Amino acid sequence: MDVGFIGLGVMGQPMARNLARAGTPLIVWNRSPGRSEPVRAAGARVAADPAEVFRQARVVLLMLADDAAVDAVLGRGTPAFAANVARRIIVHMGTTAPDYSRGLEADIAAAAGSYVEAPVSGSRAPAESGQLVAMLAGDPAAVAAVRPLVQPLCQRTFACGPVPTALLMKLSVNLYLTTMVACLAETVHFADRHGLDLTQLLDVLDAGPMASSVSRAKSRKLAAKDFTVQASIANVLENTRLITEEARRSALVSPLLDVCHTLYAETDALGHGQSDMAAIIRAIESRTEAAVSAGRRP
């Protein structure tokens, strides 16, 4: 039977296209039909609705924005849910709260289906090049079935254990990512306001021990003020919310995350929600300008 893929957004479209190009017998659906065309051109079939995907596929990959979108596509809470998930492996590749994933696994198991968490680390560029990192959790047999299917999308896959360890791992990784990019934005802002050569700054960063693929990509976007989206401010803000809530639920402090969450929220409020996460520098610039206008030091 075909493999299903639902959700062809910024990440989902290149992921599904890579699966089709790898020869995976793929059937896809997206709420906005135009997003399906590049995947159709790569060899996938396009379903008329989610129900057709579930009828045709034994394994269905979901790359959706949030838990409400997942529930809507699965028909959770309706009679259609059992028909959609029974005897199928449902693979949740987005980022949601760990508690939500626990409940979804229980509901799918009660309907005679199997469930795998498979969130991925990486933004649009790694998704396009098949260089994502996947974290898998769930029943070992289901994870073993899914792991080779997602191989065309990933440079590495990791089996993390039972649900929701993959999502907890993803949140841990994203905590580092979101604070790292915020710090990088503040670095560029500091250097720029001191009149330094930003090209030289990038060279110095690249030559040092802190260099990484993220620092190289985001520092160049910051220096060029190129905020073409790879991972949007709105998406990152949602991720910081999920991490913050999980930290509070676990009675953990998260001082760096709290500051970054505020800055991403300010960037979103300034109208940059659909810009790349590097646009967090706009919130930092705004704070500096407000301090200068008020005649005080920040």
Side-chain angles (χ1 to χ4, degrees), residues 11-169:
M11 294 286 289
Q13 186 190 76
M15 290 166 68
R17 192 167 60 238
N18 283 339
L19 284 173
R21 287 173 175 168
T24 305
L26 196 66
I27 180 168
V28 304
W29 181 83
N30 191 71
R31 184 175 57 181
S32 303
R35 300 287 301 176
S36 303
E37 292 312 309
V39 187
R40 188 202 302 270
R45 291 170 46 234
V46 177
D49 53 35
E52 183 180 354
V53 176
F54 292 113
R55 286 195 301 270
Q56 296 294 325
R58 179 177 173 271
V59 179
V60 179
L61 312 179
L62 307 178
M63 191 60 180
L64 296 164
D66 52 32
D67 49 11
V70 173
D71 287 348
V73 161
L74 293 175
R76 196 175 179 199
T78 75
F81 178 74
N84 286 338
V85 306
R87 299 178 301 283
R88 290 169 181 81
I89 302 175
I90 306 300
V91 185
H92 172 32
M93 302 193 76
T95 305
T96 57
D99 271 352
Y100 167 81
S101 190
R102 286 190 187 96
L104 182 59
E105 179 188 41
D107 286 354
I108 289 174
S114 299
Y115 174 73
V116 173
E117 279 180 353
V120 293
S121 180
S123 58
R124 185 176 68 183
E128 290 172 342
S129 61
Q131 295 295 302
L132 297 169
V133 175
M135 294 146 277
L136 310 178
D139 175 76
V143 168
V146 168
R147 200 168 188 173
L149 290 177
V150 300
Q151 200 62 50
L153 312 177
C154 304
Q155 58 171 316
R156 294 283 303 275
T157 61
F158 294 88
C160 297
V163 172
T165 54
L167 274 168
L168 288 169
M169 187 70 75

Side-chain angles (χ1 to χ4, degrees), residues 205-221:
L205 288 173
D206 282 354
M210 297 170 292
S212 69
S213 59
V214 172
S215 71
R216 291 186 181 99
K218 297 305 182 185
S219 63
R220 279 156 179 73
K221 292 179 80 66

Side-chain angles (χ1 to χ4, degrees), residues 155-221:
Q155 58 171 316
R156 294 283 303 275
T157 61
F158 294 88
C160 297
V163 172
T165 54
L167 274 168
L168 288 169
M169 187 70 75
K170 172 67 185 295
L171 295 183
S172 300
V173 169
N174 278 6
L175 196 161
Y176 180 42
L177 172 66
T178 55
T179 53
M180 176 187 180
V181 173
C183 184
L184 190 60
E186 189 169 323
T187 296
V188 172
H189 178 64
F190 179 89
D192 189 37
R193 293 303 171 106
H194 281 85
L196 299 184
D197 181 340
L198 294 185
T199 300
Q200 188 175 57
L201 171 67
L202 304 192
D203 290 342
V204 172
L205 288 173
D206 282 354
M210 297 170 292
S212 69
S213 59
V214 172
S215 71
R216 291 186 181 99
K218 297 305 182 185
S219 63
R220 279 156 179 73
K221 292 179 80 66

